[in-house]
Amino acid sequence: MSSIHPTAIVDPAAQLDEGVTVGPYAIIGPAVKIGAGTVVGSHCVIEGRTTIGRDNRFYSHSSIGCMPQDMSHRGELTELVIGDRNTVFQYCTFSTGTHKEQGVTRVGSDNWIMAYVHLAHDVVLGNHCVLANNATLAGHVHVGDWAVIGGLTGVHQFVHIGAHAMIGFQAHVSQDVVPYMTVDGNPLTVRAVNLTGLKRRDFTPARITAIRQMHKLLFRQSLTLEQARSEIEALKGQGGDEDVQLMLDFLAESKRGLVR
């Protein structure tokens, strides 16, 4: 049975599964679906066509499923879809999508999203990501699994951030960040392979060796991007094939150029 505080306003059309908790003064709109075990903190507003999975925790005063901050949006029916077991701290804002892409803003599972984070329209956030305080993702940003985005970081629209990448504090991200790398500074620069993160996730020595080779080919040998891609392709069969393919796919989809 759901637990709804008497001061909360939950539209009768909203769909709340077993064990949902809704705190004081929260507002839940009519097109909202919330999975079992999710906790909605005090003063949260969840609106729009928003679907939330199981066992999420929203702390107080977040605005989830709000209208896109896009001047071309004319009230079209778009969505926000959130997975399972995410932790969302105070004063976060997640917008629904626009028809400029697929009409969906999508958040995966097991993410740790700190206070004042903004996810704009059509953002795609993977799984197991960490977004520190005041990280701001503009429209159409895509973030791979296990990425870490430092506090006070702004990410330009349409930028892609690869899986296992780590972005330092107060970064200005206007180009794509390739997987597995640590970037920081002003201007933003690739510093090294994110070894600490990879070791914490039990990457094998063979996988780490392949990733280090890709780092050298992309950023340390003065190769053109096409030359580096060819050399990376040649790494297949030496261990770490899944990481090599992930890198090749990322490079093929990059539209804004790479942070170097």
Side-chain angles (χ1 to χ4, degrees):
M1 182 176 181
S2 297
S3 174
I4 301 172
H5 193 275
T7 62
I9 299 174
V10 178
D11 192 283
Q15 299 178 36
L16 276 59
D17 286 349
E18 188 76 14
V20 171
T21 299
V22 182
Y25 302 102
I27 299 175
I28 311 293
V32 173
K33 301 176 182 178
I34 303 178
T38 290
V39 177
V40 178
S42 67
H43 298 274
C44 285
V45 176
I46 303 180
E47 56 186 321
R49 294 177 67 188
T50 296
T51 301
I52 299 170
R54 299 175 59 94
D55 299 316
N56 295 280
R57 176 67 189 265
F58 295 88
Y59 285 86
S60 65
H61 294 88
S62 286
S63 179
I64 307 299
C66 46
M67 188 183 82
Q69 297 176 54
D70 184 318
M71 294 177 70
S72 69
H73 185 70
R74 294 293 181 268
E76 299 92 347
L77 290 177
T78 57
E79 297 181 72
L80 168 65
V81 177
I82 299 173
D84 304 325
R85 300 176 302 279
N86 296 288
T87 301
V88 180
F89 285 92
Q90 297 86 351
Y91 296 96
C92 290
T93 53
F94 299 177
S95 300
T96 55
T98 69
H99 286 300
K100 291 180 179 179
E101 201 162 332
Q102 297 179 351
V104 182
T105 301
R106 194 174 299 276
V107 177
S109 298
D110 300 295
N111 295 295
W112 186 262
I113 301 174
M114 300 186 199
Y116 293 94
V117 165
H118 175 62
L119 304 184
H121 57 86
D122 306 290
V123 162
V124 177
L125 181 68
N127 306 307
H128 302 283
C129 297
V130 176
L131 277 62
N133 300 73
N134 288 99
T136 298
L137 276 55
H140 310 278
V141 169
H142 289 196
V143 181
D145 296 345
W146 296 99
V148 177
I149 301 177
L152 298 172
T153 290
V155 184
H156 193 281
Q157 59 185 347
F158 295 102
V159 159
H160 286 193
I161 296 169
H164 303 278
M166 182 171 184
I167 299 172
F169 169 73
Q170 210 170 34
H172 171 206
V173 187
S174 59
Q175 292 180 296
D176 296 339
V177 178
V178 300
Y180 310 111
M181 303 301 154
T182 297
V183 301
D184 71 356
N186 183 15
L188 198 64
T189 302
V190 175
R191 300 296 181 183
V193 172
N194 182 16
L195 285 177
T196 299
L198 301 183
K199 289 176 180 178
R200 285 175 178 171
R201 293 160 210 146
D202 296 321
F203 272 56
T204 64
R207 293 180 70 183
I208 291 174
T209 295
I211 291 165
R212 280 177 149 165
Q213 289 175 304
M214 290 190 287
H215 169 254
K216 290 177 182 178
L217 291 167
L218 283 166
F219 305 113
R220 296 294 183 264
Q221 295 190 359
S222 301
L223 301 177
T224 67
L225 182 56
E226 285 306 311
Q227 289 170 332
R229 288 171 64 178
S230 178
E231 294 290 335
I232 290 170
E233 181 79 43
L235 295 175
K236 288 184 175 178
Q238 302 177 31
D241 284 9
E242 62 187 286
D243 304 301
V244 169
Q245 190 58 56
L246 188 151
M247 181 68 78
L248 289 170
D249 291 343
F250 184 91
L251 296 175
E253 295 171 2
S254 177
K255 299 293 193 296
R256 292 194 55 80
L258 306 179
V259 172
R260 292 184 173 275

